[in-house]
Amino acid sequence: MTTLWNKPEISRREFFEKCAEAGAKTFVFGGLVVTTANLLLAQDPEDVRARAEGAVESRLHDTGLGDVRARAEGAPKEAAKGPIYGFVVDTMKCIGCGSCVRACRDENNVPDGFCRTWVEQYTFFPNGEVIVNSPSGGADGFGEDLPSRNMPEELGQLPVRGFFVPKLCNHCINTPCIQVCPVGASYVTREGVVLIDQERCIGCGYCVQACPFGSRYINPQTNTADKCTWCYHRITKGMVPACVQACPAKARIFGSVSDPNSEISQILANNRVQVLKSYLGTNPRTRYIGLDSEVM
């Protein structure tokens, strides 16, 4: 069964067919306005589709968007030339202090009400209920109080266990967010980092809906898609992401997985690691240690 996240590519033909199925709507491609009403009213749908696709191709060429698409498509061929980065979250070490969330917010000017990274608190009760809590993305920590929302009624009982799970972009190898972007604004770098070209993004939100991990949002300040970049502006200067530097428990580990002697390579070689939602087949580059089945 082909699903959205394992579909290899959405072609322009499929995109226009979906537009036509959805009804008369207007879409904008870097300044080019395409109204699907024309497709619905056409006497010869194939001819109209061909002319519309030709117009988009022309616009992509004129604006340089075609270069962005080519860069994304060519990235895997260049991957072997430099380091490939990876990220490990050790849930056994996370203490839920929120230092990572605050550091990310300050480093990347994240707008209020949004998070590029956040921490979830999982609390397990004897009756089998699991409460997931993340007030303000965990930026202010969790204190000593138990989660106040969705509390079991019979809570004379104390939780049997709990832990924290930091979340961030998984920088997947098989990325649904890149596949659905109609203008090639989402792409993967030669280091394996999934980024968004802010000059190209049209803020359609397709990638936000396609991400199965909830890692993307539309930035209200720029009206474009936004997400964790592993602090690309830092790692290309030999620094670690801000969240990694700020973590006092060293629960976040970042580095080159193409170097067998790096810290992250040694951790990956000597620990049982997991990924979120492995059944989706997105093959995340963000790996976890100590995940429970309730999280995966």
Side-chain angles (χ1 to χ4, degrees):
M1 176 179 175
T2 300
T3 58
L4 179 63
W5 33 83
N6 66 15
K7 192 175 183 179
E9 183 179 2
I10 179 170
S11 67
R12 294 181 184 81
R13 177 181 297 276
E14 292 172 314
F15 178 73
F16 281 104
E17 289 175 348
K18 292 182 181 302
C19 291
E21 292 171 358
K25 296 181 180 179
T26 299
F27 297 84
V28 181
F29 297 87
L32 173 67
V33 178
V34 177
T35 302
T36 59
N38 294 334
L39 297 178
L40 297 175
L41 296 175
Q43 295 296 320
D44 184 351
E46 287 299 326
D47 179 61
V48 173
R49 179 184 291 112
R51 285 190 283 114
E53 292 181 358
V56 172
E57 288 287 358
S58 177
R59 184 61 178 173
L60 290 174
H61 179 269
D62 293 342
T63 60
L65 293 180
D67 295 338
V68 176
R69 185 181 299 279
R71 177 177 52 184
E73 295 174 348
K77 299 176 182 178
E78 301 174 359
K81 296 182 180 178
I84 302 297
Y85 291 122
F87 201 110
V88 170
V89 177
D90 190 343
T91 64
M92 308 293 286
K93 293 182 177 178
C94 181
I95 58 176
C97 65
S99 297
C100 52
V101 182
R102 296 192 297 274
C104 173
R105 182 180 59 195
D106 295 342
E107 178 71 24
N108 298 293
N109 192 29
V110 179
D112 293 340
F114 296 89
C115 294
R116 286 189 173 193
T117 185
W118 66 98
V119 179
E120 295 175 353
Q121 179 190 41
Y122 286 72
T123 306
F124 296 76
F125 292 88
N127 64 356
E129 289 206 46
V130 182
I131 294 179
V132 182
N133 198 34
S134 185
S136 302
D140 300 321
F142 294 86
E144 299 296 331
D145 295 334
L146 292 173
S148 58
R149 295 191 308 170
N150 303 321
M151 189 71 74
E153 294 180 358
E154 62 275 22
L155 201 65
Q157 51 188 328
L158 294 175
V160 292
R161 63 191 178 97
F163 52 82
F164 301 101
V165 180
K167 299 284 186 68
L168 65 159
C169 176
N170 286 260
H171 294 272
C172 304
I173 294 173
N174 302 319
T175 56
C177 55
I178 289 179
Q179 293 172 24
V180 301
C181 181
V183 296
S186 289
Y187 63 99
V188 59
T189 71
R190 67 182 61 186
E191 301 93 347
V193 183
V194 178
L195 297 180
I196 302 167
D197 189 329
Q198 297 294 330
E199 298 297 321
R200 306 299 184 191
C201 180
I202 59 176
C204 66
Y206 284 7
C207 60
V208 177
Q209 298 179 46
C211 176
F213 305 104
S215 301
R216 291 184 172 223
Y217 60 92
I218 297 297
N219 190 319
Q221 298 172 345
T222 62
N223 293 319
T224 58
D226 204 352
K227 71 174 193 68
C228 160
T229 65
W230 282 350
C231 286
Y232 193 69
H233 59 288
R234 291 171 58 96
I235 63 176
T236 50
K237 297 177 182 177
M239 305 166 69
V240 297
C243 62
V244 174
Q245 180 172 299
C247 180
K250 299 189 181 303
R252 294 175 177 238
I253 304 97
F254 175 84
S256 171
V257 295
S258 52
D259 176 4
N261 297 316
S262 67
E263 178 187 13
I264 191 171
S265 291
Q266 292 299 311
I267 290 174
L268 291 171
N270 295 299
N271 291 273
R272 186 173 64 180
V273 296
Q274 302 126 317
V275 297
L276 296 174
K277 301 183 179 180
S278 60
Y279 52 90
L280 298 180
T282 62
N283 202 0
R285 294 188 190 278
T286 298
R287 305 294 172 93
Y288 284 83
I289 296 175
L291 280 183
D292 272 34
S293 59
E294 289 83 357
V295 182
M296 294 188 290

